[in-house]
């Protein structure tokens, strides 16, 4: 049997910090607006709340169990509820990126989902990327709204707030975040000319089938 090497706990913690720095470098987040989690043991490793990424060390990353136990010297991200709830509800999700990318957030302020404007909408798992109704950050209600918007989808927008991207690995969740922000920019580019023509749900289903042979599949 092949041995599958797994990243050590310290490597996962460092990968989370590197991804946080990448979010800001890639222009999909600013300041400490975002947070990232990776499945670990019977819980998650998650960024601490409001700590600048530049000064974050692996020890600052918090482990939080699905039973609410916390290991670490910091408090977990204020958004720990939806990170925990999504990981519990979706066993195929191992990494979650939450950020406030400008184009996604602009659409979310308008309470707009991203419709099938481009075939790449399919990378989020369906014919649209839904915008979850607004609820105060960090609340059970926000977590509930996000989970509904993520039904059958790997990403969603959060009204008047930002975006969530989920995947089987942190690298894929980061990639998806950039793709969703790109789609949001494209949609925003179209809107001054009116609502754009859309691809059909059937065509997006067709694209999803094609993608399973291409490498976009989880
Ligand atoms: P944290 O610093 O607590 O992760 O909060 C940032 C945020 O995105 C709130 O929505």
């Amino acid at each position: 049997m092949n041995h599958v090497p797994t990243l050590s706990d310290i490597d996962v913690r460092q990968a989370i910090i590197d991804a946080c720095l990448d979010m800001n470098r890639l222009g999909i987040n600013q300041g400490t607006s975002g947070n990232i989690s990776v499945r670990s043991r019977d819980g998650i490793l998650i960024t601490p709340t409001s700590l600048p990424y530049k000064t974050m060390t692996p020890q600052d990353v918090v482990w939080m169990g699905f039973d609410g136990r916390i290991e670490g010297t910091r408090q977990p991200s204020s958004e720990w509820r939806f990170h925990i709830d999504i990981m519990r509800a979706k066993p195929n999700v191992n990494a979650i990126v939450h950020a406030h990318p400008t184009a996604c957030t602009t659409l979310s302020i308008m309470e707009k989902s991203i419709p099938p404007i481009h075939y790449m909408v399919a990378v989020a798992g369906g014919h649209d990327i839904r915008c979850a109704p607004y609820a105060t950050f960090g609340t059970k209600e926000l977590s509930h709204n996000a989970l509904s918007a993520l039904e059958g989808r790997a990403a969603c927008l959060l009204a008047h707030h930002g975006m969530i991207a989920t995947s089987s690995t942190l690298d894929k969740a980061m990639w998806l975040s950039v793709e969703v922000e790109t789609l949001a920019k494209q949609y925003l580019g179209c809107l001054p000319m009116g609502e754009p023509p859309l691809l059909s749900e059937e065509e997006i289903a067709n694209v999803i089938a094609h993608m399973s042979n291409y490498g976009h599949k989880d």
Side-chain angles (χ1 to χ4, degrees), residues 32-35 47-51 76-79 98 100 137 161:
T32 60
S33 297
N35 30 75
T47 44
T49 186
S50 65
L51 190 70
S77 166
S78 54
E79 299 294 16
H98 166 57
H100 298 181
F137 79 96
H161 186 158

Side-chain angles (χ1 to χ4, degrees), residues 94-180:
N94 294 314
I96 299 171
V97 172
H98 166 57
H100 298 181
T102 301
C104 284
T105 306
T106 303
L107 288 176
S108 86
I109 290 165
M110 299 306 292
E111 301 181 359
K112 273 183 163 305
S113 299
I114 303 177
I117 48 166
H118 188 290
Y119 79 84
M120 285 295 280
V121 166
V123 296
H127 68 278
D128 60 1
I129 299 169
R130 301 183 192 106
C131 182
Y134 179 77
T136 308
F137 79 96
T139 59
K140 188 81 200 147
E141 190 188 355
L142 178 63
S143 178
H144 175 267
N145 294 351
L147 264 177
S148 301
L150 286 170
E151 221 174 290
R153 301 286 186 275
C156 71
L157 308 184
L158 301 175
H160 307 273
H161 186 158
M163 181 263 340
I164 297 174
T166 72
S167 196
S168 56
T169 68
L170 182 51
D171 282 352
K172 285 186 187 174
M174 287 294 290
W175 167 80
L176 183 59
S177 303
V178 174
E179 291 300 333
V180 174

Side-chain angles (χ1 to χ4, degrees), residues 62-90:
V62 181
W63 179 84
M64 191 172 188
F66 291 131
D67 59 2
R69 266 183 317 124
I70 288 175
E71 286 175 13
T73 51
R74 302 270 179 191
Q75 286 303 305
S77 166
S78 54
E79 299 294 16
W80 61 264
R81 273 174 195 278
F82 69 62
H83 285 266
I84 286 276
D85 290 349
I86 294 166
M87 292 278 192
R88 284 177 75 117
K90 292 177 171 259

